[in-house]
Amino acid sequence: MKDFLKSIFHKPHMARRVIFCVVGVTLMGFCVSWLNLLAWGTDPCSVFNLAMADILDISFGSWQALINCVLFVFILWKGRENIGIGTVCNMFIVGYSCDFMTWLREKLIPEFVFEGWVEKIAACVVILFIFVFSVAVYTSVGLGASPYDSVPEIIFNAQKTKKVPFRVVRILWDGGVAIIGYLIGGTVGIVTVLMALTIGPMAEAVRKRIGRFIE
């Protein structure tokens, strides 16, 4: 247990890592709110969680916190090495920051602002870039992965021969969650596809650039 706690809290430039992490997951939540408004899809995890929150008639943040707590028990059992401060940040900040941004924009932004195609496309490009960049920052600081992101890693590591590459496991995981989300009323669109194609390369680019600040 001592070594486990040390691996969580004792890293170089811990304060910088935490700041990057909190800013990253907060911006992710803000972006999910705007992408949900544009209705062209979100990341697979949010597709499912937004649909479930709507079915249960609770806030997105509350449902995401609940499902993350359930998954966290599984991660604590099978993938403890994936747990860190970033895990907890992702579990709670993304959902509730999305709820806050939704409340704020409904108060301040008229509904007709994004009715035109030009406005929607421009907004989508900007928001998608911010989201992907935020995910890349969050995954680059080395403070643990979200319960959702940890599941495919556990599935991959459970293979005795590792015949199925991790990228295939991840695609199947994201695709399955997105399909379930769609079947229960979630929105899957071009944004969902673009995220799948861009998050990996962006993460690599960001990791190289912020590495000197956190190592």
Side-chain angles (χ1 to χ4, degrees):
M1 179 59 71
K2 184 178 179 180
D3 291 338
F4 172 60
L5 294 175
K6 185 177 180 180
S7 69
I8 293 177
F9 294 106
H10 291 80
K11 294 179 181 293
H13 304 297
M14 193 65 182
R16 295 180 189 176
R17 292 174 185 266
V18 173
I19 291 171
F20 277 126
C21 180
V22 171
V23 171
V25 294
T26 300
L27 288 176
M28 285 163 60
F30 287 175
C31 290
V32 169
S33 174
W34 287 102
L35 291 172
N36 190 39
L37 173 66
L38 296 175
W40 287 345
T42 60
D43 61 288
C45 181
S46 295
V47 169
F48 172 78
N49 286 334
L50 285 165
M52 283 299 302
D54 188 54
I55 291 172
L56 298 175
D57 195 26
I58 60 176
S59 74
F60 173 67
S62 295
W63 165 254
Q64 183 137 313
L66 177 61
I67 190 63
N68 272 325
C69 286
V70 173
L71 289 175
F72 183 79
V73 174
F74 175 69
I75 304 307
L76 193 61
W77 175 39
K78 287 292 187 179
R80 185 176 295 184
E81 67 278 1
N82 295 310
I83 295 174
I85 294 175
T87 306
V88 179
C89 290
N90 187 287
M91 286 172 65
F92 298 101
I93 295 178
V94 174
Y96 285 118
S97 64
C98 175
D99 288 346
F100 172 74
M101 176 53 69
T102 300
W103 173 82
L104 189 64
R105 65 172 171 76
E106 288 177 350
K107 292 285 186 180
L108 301 178
I109 309 296
E111 291 185 4
F112 63 82
V113 170
F114 295 115
E115 288 185 352
W117 279 95
V118 174
E119 293 87 348
K120 291 185 72 171
I121 292 174
C124 184
V125 170
V126 173
I127 297 165
L128 179 60
F129 175 82
I130 295 173
F131 183 91
V132 172
F133 180 79
S134 300
V135 173
V137 170
Y138 156 72
T139 58
S140 298
V141 295
L143 292 182
S146 70
Y148 175 87
D149 291 325
S150 297
V151 171
E153 290 196 25
I154 293 173
I155 294 173
F156 172 73
N157 291 328
Q159 300 180 88
K160 293 182 178 180
T161 59
K162 301 292 191 298
K163 287 185 177 180
V164 181
F166 175 74
R167 64 179 181 276
V168 175
V169 175
R170 181 66 199 231
I171 290 172
L172 292 173
W173 170 247
D174 284 336
V177 172
I179 290 171
I180 294 172
Y182 175 77
L183 292 175
I184 62 176
T187 301
V188 175
I190 184 63
V191 170
T192 311
V193 177
L194 289 174
M195 282 185 179
L197 296 175
T198 57
I199 287 177
M202 177 69 84
E204 285 299 315
V206 170
R207 186 177 293 112
K208 294 176 182 178
R209 285 166 174 75
I210 72 171
R212 64 177 181 270
F213 295 109
I214 61 176
E215 298 297 340

